[in-house]
Amino acid sequence: MTELTDLYQELILEHNKKPRNFHRLEPHTHQAEGFNPLCGDRLVVELSVQDETVNDIGFVGAGCAICMASASMMTEAVKGQSVAAAMQLFDAMHGYLAGQGTVLPPGKLAALAGVREYPMRVKCATLPWHTLQNALQGQDGTAKTE
Amino acid sequence: MNVASMTINPSLDTARADFPILNQEVAGKPLVYLDNAATTQKPKAVLEAMQHYYLWDNANVHRGVHTLSQRATMAFDEARLKVQRFINAKLPEEIIFVRGTTEAINLVAQTMGKRLVPGDEVVISALEHHANIVPWQMLREERGIVLRVLPIDDTGQVCLDQLPALLGQRTRLVAVGHVSNALGTVVPVKTIIEMAHSQGIPVLVDGAQAIPHLPVDVQGLDCDFYAFSGHKAYGPTGIGALYGKKTWLESLPPWQGGGDMIRSVSFEKTTYSEPPAKFEAGTPHIAGAIGMGVALDYLETMGMAAIAAHDEMLCRYAADRLAEVPGLRLIGTAADKSAVVSFVMEGVHSHDIGTILNSEGVAVRAGHHCAMPVMERFCVAATTRASFGLYNTMADVDALVVALGKVRHLFR
């Protein structure tokens, strides 16, 4: 097992303590809810999309530090990006954390890479991303991490 | 062969040596196993008895006239006697072998449920494990019964004074947990049974969490049903028992159909066996029953009174030590508690706590403990739960407190 500090990096702890874009977004064009019944992590992601660009994004919810930091860092990474770029980020994060990809997620998101060594916690990190994907694809219902 | 006598240290002080699994490192630290409410570890005596059965005696029971079948049948029947003795049932045929507590409760719900009509009522408490909630909710959907819930107070104890108002003409059963798996509350089931019986209402007790911790006497309690699992009482998974008063087991319809539960079968008519066979269709978990029997022997050798005292001492010590941890709040502070401390820490989610404790070798449960209504009652999504077994020591509690210091440090 890797060192605990690989999982709980300073950046993650800091985002957990002060999550970015932690608010409802009104008005919004896209919204989805994410829920992990196993641990109770729950969040809502809302986006304002115009001309295929994520103009703004916000989230609210409660969960573990990994989930909250992942959501916070996700909102930073996605804001101002095209929808296609956001979906690419989802693929990069999901692929890496699910153990398929070998390329580290770009930028600050690489701080979440350590989660891969903790299989029981991978879903904590991917839940916000599944919720983002559902919101952008306009899917109804609650996102799960399956 | 009495395997048990060879490998038991008949003292709680040295019991740890009976559990080889505890002698290992996790994350480079000595394992401190505090997840006993989820499942307990198994003493060598249990493992040896099960291996002995498979190595030498394996055969189907109640069928063959050959030697192995006789041995297997004798060992299986003896396991039933051990369960009977352990919970002080009047008769061995009052013990039904099932997969575990969940199956035991479902057995009662499904058989008794066939006779329920819309508007009939079942009373449970707000402390229940999902296993004593969902089977009744399924019955609500199937039969239109009404589910009534006895509330709990801020300490996590049931509000006994509110029970009379829930018991009425249409109450067909009270189904209540003996010890809460989420909080450790010891529920006054004897009083509940007396109150229900005074109105002619039968009572089922979910004893999954009580059997490994408290002396249980089903005749003394006068309960109508008592359900428990082997694996939470130092026995194997996949086996448990349902105690039912003989009159109930005779009057309830059979449950699953198949071999063993019939007296004669023709295409025109089938007659059913008497209890317990009536409720044990198919080849049973023979090795499991044998293992559970030895586990109960093990508990008997240690002494349930000594175990209960040990659990209470650890529980009190843990509550005192945890009070020293800044920002920690105990959930469940009833006067009568057994072997569980459940808590939340300000600013730290229980799953983070669980992961960090694991990095210190300390195994706890983080989550809702299959008791989501209890979490809701205390307005928390999840708690961290340390639960004790007979092999745990005050040093294990100290290790937990030290590891929680690391959580505090990381999330400062």
Side-chain angles (χ1 to χ4, degrees), chain A residues 52-103:
Chain A
E52 287 299 302
T53 300
V54 178
N55 285 333
D56 206 354
I57 178 170
F59 83 102
V60 291
C64 67
I66 305 300
C67 179
M68 289 293 104
S70 180
S72 170
M73 292 161 82
M74 175 183 83
T75 59
E76 276 196 326
V78 163
K79 200 191 271 193
Q81 299 281 337
S82 70
V83 170
M87 292 305 288
Q88 272 173 10
L89 277 176
F90 167 82
D91 288 338
M93 281 303 291
H94 185 255
Y96 186 82
L97 292 176
Q100 290 144 4
T102 52
V103 184

Side-chain angles (χ1 to χ4, degrees), chain B residues 150-151 153 157-166 188 191-192 195:
Chain B
L150 178 64
D153 62 23
Q157 183 56 276
V158 297
C159 301
L160 213 49
D161 56 332
Q162 298 191 36
L163 183 59
L166 296 176
T191 310
I192 290 174
M195 289 165 84

Side-chain angles (χ1 to χ4, degrees), chain A residues 4 8 17 37 39 64-65 121, chain B residues 349 351-352 355 359 368 412:
Chain A
L4 196 60
Y8 292 107
K17 221 171 186 176
C39 62
C64 67
R121 304 301 301 276
Chain B
H349 192 276
H351 270 214
D352 295 315
T355 295
S359 75
H368 54 57
R412 63 191 175 274

Side-chain angles (χ1 to χ4, degrees), chain B residues 274-335:
Chain B
E274 296 296 315
K278 176 180 172 184
F279 298 102
E280 292 181 354
T283 297
H285 185 7
I286 304 164
I290 292 169
M292 179 165 71
V294 174
L296 298 181
D297 280 348
Y298 184 86
L299 284 170
E300 222 162 43
T301 308
M302 293 295 163
M304 288 313 294
I307 289 171
H310 172 82
D311 289 342
E312 198 189 337
M313 181 273 294
L314 278 183
C315 213
R316 282 183 196 285
Y317 181 66
D320 288 348
R321 290 296 324 266
L322 290 175
E324 298 166 16
V325 180
L328 185 147
R329 179 164 64 97
L330 284 178
I331 305 288
T333 49

Side-chain angles (χ1 to χ4, degrees), chain A residues 1 4-5 7-8 10 13 16-17 35 37-41 63-66 118 121 124, chain B residues 27 347 349-356 358-359 366-368 372 381-382 406 410-412:
Chain A
M1 188 176 282
L4 196 60
T5 43
L7 179 64
Y8 292 107
E10 280 299 329
L13 293 169
N16 174 54
K17 221 171 186 176
F35 179 50
L38 286 177
C39 62
D41 287 355
C64 67
I66 305 300
Y118 294 80
R121 304 301 301 276
C124 308
Chain B
H349 192 276
S350 68
H351 270 214
D352 295 315
I353 296 174
T355 295
I356 298 165
N358 183 62
S359 75
H368 54 57
M372 288 170 89
K406 186 164 179 183
L410 203 59
F411 279 78
R412 63 191 175 274

